[in-house]
Amino acid sequence: MNILILGKGGREHALGWKLLQSVRKPHLFFLPGNAGTLSVGVNLEGDYNKFNDVKRTVVENSINLVVVGPEEPIAMGVADFLEDMGVRVIAPRKNVAFLEASKIKAKKFMKKHSIPTADFVTFDNYQRAKAYIEKVEKFPVVIKADGLCGGKGVVIARDKKEAEDTLRAFMVDGRFGEASRRVVIEEYLEGYEFSVFVYIEGERYAVLGDAIDYKKAYDGDKGPNTGGMGSVAPAVFLNPGMREKVRKDIIDRTIEGLIKDGLYYEGFLYFGLIWTEKGPYVLEYNVRMGDPETQVVVMIDSRDWLEFFNGNQLDKKWPCYSRVCVEVVLVSSGYPLKYEKGYIIEGLNRVEGVNIFHAGTTLKEGRIITNGGRVLNVVGCGKELKEAREKVYKEVRKIRFKNIFYRKDIGDIQRWKGIL
Ligand SMILES: Nc1ncnc2c1ncn2[C@@H]1O[C@H](COP(=O)(O)OP(=O)(O)O)[C@@H](O)[C@H]1O
Ligand SMILES: [Mg+2]
């Protein structure tokens, strides 16, 4: 069986690593992959956002199954395109991509199906949005651009001025082009964030796992937002009762909602959640796996994910975890703003007992060099959080490249002191 994985990040390396352990012994190909995916498969040249490249790759390598990592090709309809070619694809169709690609449509879907989410209003007219903000008494409020903004389209406005400035930047100046001409303004929720990952095939599903991610660049959740600086799985503050509530109130209602609306969903669904005083709420959906969360989720879950893709073991149960995994993302200093690349990475062969999933790396004259902001994801596991954390940081210190930077507080218990 030949599997093609679309993408080039740590998420795709981790998915490949996971699938390679299947009893079905697949051969893996990546479009385009990175230096790390070379250790689990073959890297192919091309752009996964260009369907012609995808088609050529599928045909030339006799691909039986395509797994899609990132959101752009999904929103563009790569699943429909491959289906029409008669190739099996693990990604939702274009008609359900709105769950991620339009925050307005996703919020309306949640409201319609009584899925707990922050109260909200939507606007496509700047004057009306501004008039609404004039009357708001309680800040912060959350302003979200409707479309895909690469994780930069949400602002937590602390006062009227910040809210108005954001509305102007989004709706008038078009900071994200068409994607920010329309907005959601929603209630600010306080609580503990976590994510849940589910593989869905129509009305059946498998819960893959839950995780916590670290979006801010610096320790103590300070600094600018990034694509992710670390992750912990499982979400250590959840207990079986809380997970059951998420399943009933959120996962089941979402899947029933899709069916009621006549929408077929097949592929991964990522639930971005927050646990508040009143229980779990949905912040957002993503129609794919998360990066860097996939890298820890594949390591806490011992099941064979290829079985899920074949329609087996979709038992809707939450898996039992026997360990905790902590992931530290090594970045080029300056990321997510300005950073340099092209530096040799050393020490990888001295690392032991942890997994390394590559992100921005490439091979040049036989050496692995940095090729992006996020460079490597190092994952260590242990019986308990503390053990996993110590293990991963001990190994991280062996890795060197010029301008290396990483957060020192991933998996620090302080973050959950109010709930643990
Ligand atoms: N209603 C809300 N209340 C409090 N924080 C929020 C709310 N909505 C979003 N956030 C914060 O903003 C982040 C980004 O929002 P999200 O909806 O996940 O958008 P995206 O990931 O597409 O940028 C969340 O991870 C969360 O920290
Ligand atoms: Mg998010």
Side-chain angles (χ1 to χ4, degrees):
M1 170 175 225
N2 292 340
I3 301 180
L4 173 66
I5 299 178
L6 303 185
K8 60 180 178 184
R11 167 180 53 206
E12 288 76 22
H13 185 182
L15 283 171
W17 175 85
K18 183 76 180 162
L19 296 178
L20 202 60
Q21 291 167 55
S22 168
V23 292
R24 293 173 192 253
K25 300 261 173 269
H27 294 286
L28 302 183
F29 297 83
F30 294 85
L31 181 67
N34 57 40
T37 58
L38 286 170
S39 64
V40 287
V42 176
N43 286 354
L44 303 168
E45 270 177 43
D47 179 349
Y48 54 71
N49 283 326
K50 295 195 179 130
F51 291 180
N52 266 339
D53 287 7
V54 175
K55 182 177 180 178
R56 175 179 45 77
T57 322
V58 164
V59 173
E60 284 177 3
N61 300 285
S62 312
I63 299 295
N64 316 100
L65 175 79
V66 179
V67 180
V68 186
E71 61 271 26
E72 300 95 340
I74 295 177
M76 282 158 53
V78 78
D80 310 65
F81 176 80
L82 287 164
E83 278 235 303
D84 289 346
M85 279 178 67
V87 179
R88 177 138 167 74
V89 53
I90 305 302
R93 314 290 179 268
K94 197 176 177 178
N95 66 346
V96 284
F98 73 86
L99 287 178
E100 174 165 4
S102 167
K103 297 236 189 255
I104 294 178
K105 286 186 188 157
K107 292 290 286 191
K108 289 186 172 162
F109 172 86
M110 290 183 236
K111 192 170 171 189
K112 179 175 175 194
H113 298 291
S114 308
I115 297 157
T117 191
D119 284 335
F120 68 100
V121 283
T122 67
F123 295 97
D124 56 10
N125 175 292
Y126 168 67
Q127 292 301 339
R128 275 193 216 123
K130 200 175 144 205
Y132 173 85
I133 285 294
E134 275 302 315
K135 297 206 197 90
V136 169
E137 278 163 15
K138 206 170 138 238
F139 285 89
V141 292
V142 183
I143 301 178
K144 301 186 172 186
D146 180 46
L148 294 179
C149 298
K152 296 189 179 72
V154 173
V155 171
I156 312 228
R158 281 156 300 183
D159 52 39
K160 205 161 278 185
K161 167 141 193 336
E162 196 178 359
E164 284 180 2
D165 289 349
T166 304
L167 289 176
R168 196 172 324 103
F170 279 15
M171 304 182 81
V172 182
D173 306 342
R175 182 186 289 174
F176 300 104
E178 277 311 301
S180 67
R181 294 280 175 210
R182 283 190 276 265
V183 298
V184 175
I185 302 179
E186 69 179 42
E187 166 201 13
Y188 176 80
L189 299 173
E190 229 156 323
Y192 296 87
E193 277 191 68
F194 62 107
S195 323
V196 170
F197 301 89
V198 179
Y199 174 76
I200 302 174
E201 186 202 278
E203 55 192 51
R204 304 193 304 147
Y205 66 85
V207 178
L208 302 172
D210 47 82
I212 295 159
D213 76 335
Y214 292 71
K215 278 265 172 288
K216 299 283 182 186
Y218 312 128
D219 285 9
D221 294 324
K222 305 244 163 46
N225 262 324
T226 70
M229 296 295 290
S231 191
V232 171
V236 284
F237 57 80
L238 293 178
N239 60 39
M242 292 160 96
R243 289 196 172 101
E244 196 47 29
K245 183 138 180 78
V246 169
R247 208 166 68 81
K248 279 217 189 85
D249 292 358
I250 293 175
I251 303 176
D252 285 351
R253 284 186 203 172
T254 298
I255 290 171
E256 283 159 20
L258 287 165
I259 293 167
K260 275 188 201 147
D261 288 352
L263 297 168
Y264 180 72
Y265 197 103
E266 185 172 5
F268 300 114
L269 185 56
Y270 166 138
F271 296 78
L273 308 176
I274 185 166
W275 194 277
T276 73
E277 266 174 14
K278 290 195 237 156
Y281 280 68
V282 180
L283 293 179
E284 64 160 346
Y285 293 114
N286 291 153
V287 295
R288 46 158 175 103
M289 290 298 286
D291 188 335
E293 299 96 321
T294 303
Q295 294 89 305
V296 272
V297 171
V298 295
M299 290 193 65
I300 48 161
D301 187 20
S302 54
R303 296 167 298 174
D304 184 338
W305 286 18
L306 254 190
E307 290 304 321
F308 302 146
F309 301 167
N310 282 290
N312 302 322
Q313 296 172 24
L314 301 174
D315 60 9
K316 306 187 176 182
K317 284 192 198 126
W318 221 286
C320 288
Y321 306 113
S322 55
R323 57 185 193 162
V324 179
C325 299
V326 172
E327 169 186 21
V328 177
V329 182
L330 312 187
V331 306
S332 309
S333 145
Y335 170 81
L337 306 169
K338 224 177 118 167
Y339 56 86
E340 295 166 9
K341 49 192 192 181
Y343 297 121
I344 293 170
I345 303 172
E346 283 171 309
L348 289 177
N349 49 2
R350 290 209 304 275
V351 169
E352 46 198 28
V354 295
N355 267 30
I356 299 180
F357 297 116
H358 290 225
T361 66
T362 191
L363 206 58
K364 196 176 163 193
E365 290 154 13
R367 308 203 66 162
I368 296 175
I369 62 170
T370 65
N371 191 39
R374 289 195 288 169
V375 178
L376 296 167
N377 311 276
V378 187
V379 186
C381 303
K383 273 214 152 42
E384 309 211 348
L385 183 63
K386 188 164 173 281
E387 189 188 329
R389 187 170 138 73
E390 285 169 2
K391 192 157 152 190
V392 72
Y393 276 112
K394 177 168 171 262
E395 297 306 312
V396 156
R397 284 193 287 271
K398 298 180 184 169
I399 302 172
R400 307 238 147 120
F401 55 85
K402 195 176 167 198
N403 293 349
I404 187 171
F405 177 80
Y406 53 90
R407 275 180 67 160
K408 314 284 187 297
D409 66 340
I410 309 298
D412 187 343
I413 210 92
Q414 285 300 320
R415 199 187 216 222
W416 309 292
K417 60 179 187 288
I419 194 169
L420 266 180

